[in-house]
């Protein structure tokens, strides 16, 4: 893999063809000197300064093997995140992965280890926590190995590999059908819940309205998941495609109809995808995917998202659930330290992994059953009576928790089904696929890419934003919206070769 200070070899710039005439001229990148100037202070801040500040906090934590392993994991993830931020290439999926690991599996659990308090109780022996941290480190190393293997294998160009097909682009007519689907589905969602005003109250009001609407039953949440999914996902995906068109095509910016459709989609997303009526992780998906789509070639935006994302997750995220409940149900965070909310809210991933180890010790591995339940999330429980519940819910019930809406990070999901060997291999595969997708994204947003209609230039930012949800888990809760997005992509994607003509 490329070092932080080492510039990637630049590929020869192809001549502009008719397909590229609407793309803005590219400017030579001069980030190498900036990377060198920022490398030392940024690396020291992530790897040394922040962990040292946390370690100096008062608390009753025990400084045993689990503590030192957590410190190693925090420093390792901080170094990898600094590498992603200062890389000469934009690695969206890998960058977001390391940002999540640094925050949710590194800094937050380290603060919990120092303070001596966790959001969820540890039910087993402390050795389970030590094993959990060690396994997270193993998964991270496997991810790095997979990414390294991907960097050694050249990309195949679909257009040259199969002469009958071209790169994946959005079909003009089918994209209009997606816009129509978004308007109809989101309009039905808004009307079913009682109008736009309810989307600016609280998530509790949204849940109550969904329950009253009759789409959900006591045994299954499939109906409510489809209502929320189709009400939010097509609108976001259509907005991303039209944003891609506007930022890369002068012709689109000069078209009043295109600008009008984008304005309508933007207004629609303000209603159905705002931070008041949606979970914080989903709004984070909306924000990250929109920024990466609107600024596809901006190294400054890429670095800002990763760097400021750390600050936002540590300082703002624990307080961002202001609209989860109405005024009577909201309980503000009362803390004397910026690190205290990390030990009392949200970031329970590491301790839940440790609790899952104890649960598996008593019940055994499920050998793919949990993942099968996630993959077949759309099957109602009335049809599949033995359909697995969320992994976090099952572990929470075993723990005797009253509130079982607990996280189940990807490490947990893979451990429950496949054990250490399967988890390690799966993370190597995830790292491989993430690195390949990042390289395809870099090609898609370049001058040699498919142009404004590139599907890859929209899909990779969307996956990058949703990575937080996939890594946090549980997967069963997280599968609905990606499935709807896949259906929308199947609707609009075309592989027809256009003989160099602009796809729009």
């Amino acid at each position: 893999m490329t070092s932080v200070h080492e510039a990637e070899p630049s590929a020869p710039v192809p001549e502009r063809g008719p397909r590229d005439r609407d793309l803005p001229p590219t400017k030579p990148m001069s980030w190498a000197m900036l990377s060198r100037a920022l490398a030392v202070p940024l690396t020291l801040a992530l790897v040394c300064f922040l962990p040292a500040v946390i370690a100096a906090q008062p608390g009753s934590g025990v400084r045993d093997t689990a503590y030192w392993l957590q410190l190693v994991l925090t420093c390792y993830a901080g170094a990898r995140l600094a590498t992603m931020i200062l890389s000469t290439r934009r690695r969206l999926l890998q960058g977001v992965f390391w940002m999540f690991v640094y925050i949710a599996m590194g800094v937050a659990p380290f603060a919990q280890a120092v303070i001596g308090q966790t959001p969820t109780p540890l039910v087993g022996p402390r050795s389970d926590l030590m094993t959990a941290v060690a396994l997270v480190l193993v998964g991270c190393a496997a991810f790095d190995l997979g990414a390294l293997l991907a960097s050694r294998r050249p990309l195949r160009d679909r257009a040259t590999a199969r002469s009958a097909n071209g790169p994946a682009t959005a079909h003009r007519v089918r994209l209009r059908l997606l816009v129509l689907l978004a308007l109809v589905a989101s309009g039905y969602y808004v009307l079913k819940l009682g109008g736009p005003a309810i989307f600016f109250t609280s998530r509790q009001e949204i849940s109550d309205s969904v329950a009253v609407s009759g789409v959900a039953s006591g045994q299954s949440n499939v109906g409510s998941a489809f209502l929320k999914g189709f009400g939010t996902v097509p609108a976001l995906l259509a907005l991303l495609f039209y944003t891609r068109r506007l930022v890369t095509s002068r012709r689109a910016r000069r078209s009043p109809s295109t600008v009008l459709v984008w304005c309508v989609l933007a207004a629609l997303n303000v209603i159905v995808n705002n931070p008041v009526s949606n979970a914080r992780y989903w709004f984070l998906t909306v924000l990250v995917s929109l920024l990466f789509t609107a600024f596809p070639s901006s190294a400054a935006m890429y670095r800002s998202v990763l760097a400021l994302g750390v600050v936002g997750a540590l300082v703002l995220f624990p307080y961002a659930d202001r609209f989860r409940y109405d005024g009577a149900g909201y309980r503000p965070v009362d803390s004397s330290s910026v690190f205290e909310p990390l030990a009392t809210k949200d970031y329970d991933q590491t301790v839940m992994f440790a609790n899952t180890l104890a649960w598996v010790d008593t019940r055994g591995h499920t050998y793919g059953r949990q993942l099968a339940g996630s993959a077949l999330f759309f099957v109602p429980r009335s049809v599949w009576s033995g359909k697995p519940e969320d992994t976090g819910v099952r572990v929470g019930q075993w723990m005797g928790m009253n509130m079982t809406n607990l996280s189940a990070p990807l490490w947990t999901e893979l451990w429950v089904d496949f054990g250490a060997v399967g988890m390690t291999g799966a993370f190597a595969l995830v790292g491989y696929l993430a690195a390949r997708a990042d390289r395809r994204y870099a090609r898609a947003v370049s001058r040699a890419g498919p142009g404004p209609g590139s599907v890859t230039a929209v899909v990779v930012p969307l996956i990058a934003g949703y990575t937080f949800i996939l890594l946090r888990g549980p997967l069963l809760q997280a599968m609905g919206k990606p499935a709807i997005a896949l259906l929308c992509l199947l609707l609009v994607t075309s592989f027809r070769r256009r003989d160099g003509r602009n796809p729009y």
Side-chain angles (χ1 to χ4, degrees):
M1 298 183 68
T2 308
S3 117
V4 173
H5 308 290
E6 183 182 354
E8 301 264 359
S10 57
V13 178
E15 296 183 0
R16 281 177 170 258
R19 183 179 60 188
D20 303 314
R21 62 178 179 272
D22 286 336
L23 295 176
T26 57
K27 297 180 180 180
M29 298 299 295
S30 59
W31 293 101
M33 293 182 61
L34 183 60
S35 297
R36 295 186 182 98
L38 290 178
V40 173
L42 181 61
T43 303
L44 289 177
L46 295 176
V47 179
C48 301
F49 178 73
L50 184 55
V53 170
I54 295 175
Q57 298 297 307
S60 58
V62 180
R63 306 208 171 191
D64 55 0
T65 305
Y67 171 92
W68 294 109
L69 280 175
Q70 188 63 63
L71 177 60
V72 170
L73 173 58
T74 304
C75 295
Y76 174 38
R80 298 298 294 124
L81 178 59
T83 302
M84 294 295 111
I85 295 174
L86 300 172
S87 171
T88 54
R89 288 186 177 180
R90 294 176 298 279
R91 297 179 170 93
L92 269 60
L93 299 183
Q94 296 173 78
V96 172
F97 173 86
W98 286 112
M99 181 167 64
F100 176 88
V101 173
Y102 182 67
I103 297 167
M105 314 299 284
V107 170
F110 186 56
Q112 295 165 13
V114 171
I115 296 173
Q117 185 177 357
T118 56
T120 304
L122 178 67
V123 297
R126 188 164 174 83
S127 59
D128 286 345
L129 186 62
M130 179 189 69
T131 304
V133 178
L135 287 173
V136 172
L137 271 168
V138 170
C140 291
F143 181 93
D144 261 344
L145 177 61
L148 178 62
L149 294 176
S151 67
R152 304 295 181 182
R153 183 180 177 187
L155 289 177
R156 282 199 332 171
D157 191 345
R158 181 185 296 274
T160 58
R162 294 188 295 173
S163 58
N165 294 332
T169 55
H171 193 277
R172 286 179 294 180
V173 175
R174 288 186 240 157
L175 183 56
R176 293 169 190 154
L177 292 177
L178 177 61
V179 173
L180 180 60
L181 172 63
L183 294 174
V184 172
S186 295
Y188 178 78
Y189 180 39
V190 172
L191 293 176
K192 193 72 174 175
L193 268 61
I198 198 172
F199 288 84
F200 299 94
T201 54
S202 68
R203 287 169 54 195
Q204 179 182 344
E205 290 289 337
I206 295 291
S207 300
D208 293 343
S209 299
V210 171
V212 172
S213 68
V215 298
S217 65
Q219 291 78 25
S220 176
N221 293 320
V222 173
S224 62
F226 272 96
L227 178 64
K228 292 180 179 179
F230 276 102
T232 56
V233 175
L236 173 60
L237 203 53
L239 179 65
L240 294 179
F241 274 112
Y242 270 80
T243 300
R244 168 72 183 169
R245 291 181 64 180
L246 289 177
V247 300
T248 56
S249 173
R250 293 190 185 95
R251 178 181 301 176
R253 292 192 292 272
R254 293 170 182 169
S255 171
S257 61
T258 302
V259 176
L260 177 61
V261 171
W262 185 90
C263 291
V264 171
L265 291 171
L268 186 64
N269 277 272
V270 168
I271 297 174
V272 300
N273 282 319
N274 66 71
V276 176
S277 58
N278 289 276
R280 291 167 292 172
Y281 280 98
W282 173 247
F283 180 72
L284 191 63
T285 299
V286 175
L287 184 62
V288 170
S289 60
L290 190 57
L291 288 175
F292 283 152
T293 303
F295 302 94
S297 302
S298 173
M301 180 56 67
Y302 164 75
R303 293 174 179 180
S304 298
V305 169
L306 296 185
L308 296 179
V310 174
V311 178
L314 296 178
V315 179
L316 300 178
F317 192 79
Y319 302 89
D321 63 344
R322 171 63 184 83
F323 300 103
R324 174 178 291 182
Y325 307 104
D326 57 19
Y330 175 66
R331 296 291 182 270
V333 178
D334 184 16
S335 63
S336 58
S337 169
V338 69
F339 299 108
E340 192 172 330
L342 301 180
T344 57
K345 290 174 63 65
D346 299 312
Y347 297 111
D348 63 344
Q349 285 78 23
T350 299
V351 68
M352 280 302 296
F353 189 13
N355 290 332
T356 303
L357 295 178
W359 177 69
V360 171
D361 286 342
T362 61
R363 301 296 181 91
H365 296 284
T366 54
Y367 301 106
R369 180 176 174 80
Q370 286 296 115
L371 289 182
S374 300
L376 300 175
F377 71 96
F378 52 87
V379 179
R381 297 190 184 276
S382 58
V383 177
W384 184 3
S385 59
K387 182 180 178 180
E389 294 181 287
D390 291 330
T391 302
V393 170
R394 295 191 66 184
V395 177
Q397 291 172 344
W398 173 79
M399 293 167 57
M401 299 286 290
N402 293 325
M403 198 280 291
T404 58
N405 184 22
L406 303 171
S407 67
L410 188 58
W411 289 260
T412 293
E413 298 279 8
L414 296 172
W415 175 266
V416 166
D417 272 339
F418 307 116
V421 175
M423 185 200 75
T424 304
F427 267 102
L429 179 61
V430 170
Y432 179 88
L433 295 177
R436 298 283 290 182
D438 284 340
R439 293 174 64 190
R440 290 197 177 277
Y441 172 80
R443 174 181 292 183
V445 300
S446 69
R447 290 171 55 185
S454 172
V455 171
T456 303
V458 170
V459 171
V460 173
L462 182 62
I463 297 175
Y466 206 74
T467 295
F468 291 94
I469 299 177
L470 294 174
L471 290 176
R472 178 192 180 272
L475 286 180
L476 182 58
Q477 293 183 13
M479 295 306 295
K481 289 180 177 179
I484 294 173
L486 179 60
L487 293 176
C488 295
L489 292 172
L490 292 175
L491 171 64
V492 302
T493 302
S494 172
F495 294 98
R496 180 182 301 176
R497 183 180 294 277
R498 298 182 180 274
D499 298 325
R501 292 178 294 173
N502 191 291
Y504 293 100

